Every structure is written in C-alpha cells, then in structure tokens.
Amino acid sequence: MRKIEVCCGSLYEVREAEAGGAVRVELCGAIACGGVTPSYGVLKQVAEANLKIDVNVLIRPREGSFLYSSEEVDAMCRDIALCRELGLHGVVIGALTADGDVDIESCRKMMEAAGDMSVTFHRAFDVCRDPRQALEDIILLGCHRLLSSGQECSAELGAELLAELVRQANGRIIIMPGAGIRPSNIALIEQKTGAAEFHSTARITRSDGMNFSHPRVSFAVSPSDEGRLSLSDRTIVSQLVNNRL
C-alpha cells in the first residue's frame, strides 16, 4: 500500500496532510531554501494539536551544505532532545564529512539523542560521494528510512538509482523517493523504483490576502512570488495517495 509523507511548515498544513490521507509529515521551516528546523512555537503548537498523523521534524540548523561544526551538531542534538520531550514521533537528520561521506560520528550523536524515535536520513544523501556505501553507513547507524531523489534534481530523473537502492536495501531500511513527486508522476515513479513510501510538498499557490504592496520593497524569493503563499493542500495529498497508472 502506497504511503505518503508531506513536507509541511505549519499546523494548518499538517492538518491538510492528515485530511488528505498522508501517514506522516516532515515538519520544517524555510521550505524555499530546502528546509530548516522549525521554531519552538510551531513544534509546541503541533505537539499539542491532538493529531493522529505521525510528525517527524527536520533537524537542520541552517541552509547550505551538510558539513557541520561541533557547535552545530550540539545544537541539533538539543533540538532532537526537545522534539523527544514534546512527544513528537520522529526526526529527520543528516550530516556529511568534507569529503562527501556520511559523518558517522555526528550522526551517531544525533541517533543517541533521538533514542527510540523514528529517524529518517534526509537528502544530504543526494550530494554524497558514494551513494551505495552511504546507504550501508546509514543502515549501520540504525536509521529507519532514507529520503532521496536518487542524486538527481527530481525523483523522476533519479528513478534508476532509487530502484538500485531499493534492491540494495532489501528490506533493511525504507527508501522513500522525494523531490518533484506529483499526482501526475507518482504512479510511474512507484512502478520504476519499487518504493512504497513517497515524500511530496503537495502544494498549491494562493494569495496571502494582502491588499497593499510596496512598489520598491519585496521579501519574496522572487518578485513573482510577492503576495503569494505556497501551502500543502488536502486535495493534492489525496491525489498522491490514490492516483494509479
């Protein structure tokens, strides 16, 4: 049975994912830059919302590469401990060495902080040097799942490697394709990869409700995004759950 995880940035979006039939969300902030750890306020709000859907939290202290200092690793371990204290289901982690291998030492510290929480290794994997060795390292760490685009800009383009990873994993870890997963292509990616879990933002774009716009100042990622919100939507989630070839 196909399982959908939705990348969400707010309690509103988590509720949309739940209503659409997703089994899990990845909760994060600043999705436009690839995501960072959400604020304490968002974490606590979601933890207290009496949701039935599993909530996994992205643990990433900043945008950019996945090479982290000891201070950043300490901060990530503290964020994981907070998620655990709040009773959230899981965390999403990842760290690499300067040479592009899995940073075993840093990831082991985060795994220890997570305890019995569900742990997903995130798309740091997609910029690692040797994906096959990295998969073995991630399995050895004890991660439950790997989120990957198959080291391409989309899971559709990376389907060949994703299929190889599913075969290599052989049930030892869940391989979860993500990046560019849409209702129009999920069935094909499912068929090509043999995966059973998929990650998507499931987003629509709508007005943010502002009537006034300053003619010379914008805080949007691009000028065309001014006055627009990109939000996970229950209809898109439902299509991801149900669309078949």
Side-chain angles (χ1 to χ4, degrees):
M1 179 180 174
R2 182 190 299 165
K3 296 181 180 179
I4 300 298
E5 174 183 284
V6 180
C7 182
C8 298
S10 67
L11 177 57
Y12 168 85
E13 291 184 88
V14 175
R15 285 178 169 150
E16 286 290 297
E18 184 175 59
V23 299
R24 184 189 319 109
V25 300
E26 180 193 42
L27 186 64
C28 61
I31 293 174
C33 74
V36 296
T37 305
S39 72
Y40 172 77
V42 171
L43 290 173
K44 191 162 177 62
Q45 187 181 53
V46 169
E48 294 176 350
N50 195 30
L51 299 159
K52 294 181 175 62
I53 194 169
D54 288 339
V55 177
N56 287 1
V57 179
L58 176 62
I59 305 298
R60 186 183 179 208
R62 56 163 171 78
E63 62 211 34
S65 78
F66 302 101
L67 176 65
Y68 295 116
S69 67
S70 59
E71 292 84 2
E72 288 173 322
V73 173
D74 179 65
M76 288 190 285
C77 288
R78 290 170 187 259
D79 283 336
I80 292 169
L82 173 61
C83 293
R84 191 176 178 186
E85 289 168 15
L86 289 172
L88 294 165
H89 179 259
V91 289
V92 183
I93 69 167
L96 301 179
T97 67
D99 292 324
D101 297 314
V102 174
D103 185 343
I104 300 293
E105 182 180 354
S106 296
C107 289
R108 187 170 287 130
K109 289 178 180 177
M110 289 187 270
M111 293 294 296
E112 290 172 358
D116 58 359
M117 299 178 80
S118 175
V119 179
T120 298
F121 195 97
H122 60 50
R123 289 190 61 208
F125 175 88
D126 286 325
V127 289
C128 72
R129 179 178 58 84
D130 182 344
R132 294 158 188 83
Q133 180 58 52
L135 176 59
E136 295 301 322
D137 292 339
I138 291 164
I139 291 170
L140 189 62
L141 280 167
C143 294
H144 302 98
R145 155 181 311 102
L146 169 64
L147 169 62
S148 174
S149 65
Q151 295 206 325
E152 297 288 350
C153 63
S154 72
E156 188 169 5
L157 290 174
E160 183 176 346
L161 176 58
L162 287 166
E164 289 182 26
L165 295 172
V166 169
R167 290 192 293 270
Q168 181 183 338
N170 194 28
R172 294 177 294 162
I173 190 174
I174 295 165
I175 305 298
M176 180 170 63
I181 303 260
R182 302 181 299 276
S184 60
N185 66 10
I186 188 169
L188 182 61
I189 295 169
E190 181 178 46
Q191 183 184 69
K192 286 183 174 180
T193 63
E197 296 192 12
F198 301 87
H199 174 97
S200 175
T201 58
R203 301 179 100 65
I204 60 167
T205 302
R206 63 172 173 80
S207 169
D208 65 6
M210 281 293 294
N211 295 321
F212 173 76
S213 178
H214 197 285
R216 297 185 302 280
V217 181
S218 172
F219 292 98
V221 175
S222 68
S224 61
D225 293 329
E226 188 67 35
R228 309 291 294 172
L229 290 175
S230 181
L231 300 168
S232 299
D233 177 76
R234 67 182 66 192
T235 301
I236 305 299
V237 176
S238 179
Q239 290 171 355
L240 287 164
V241 171
N242 296 301
N243 278 16
R244 307 289 170 181
L245 284 175

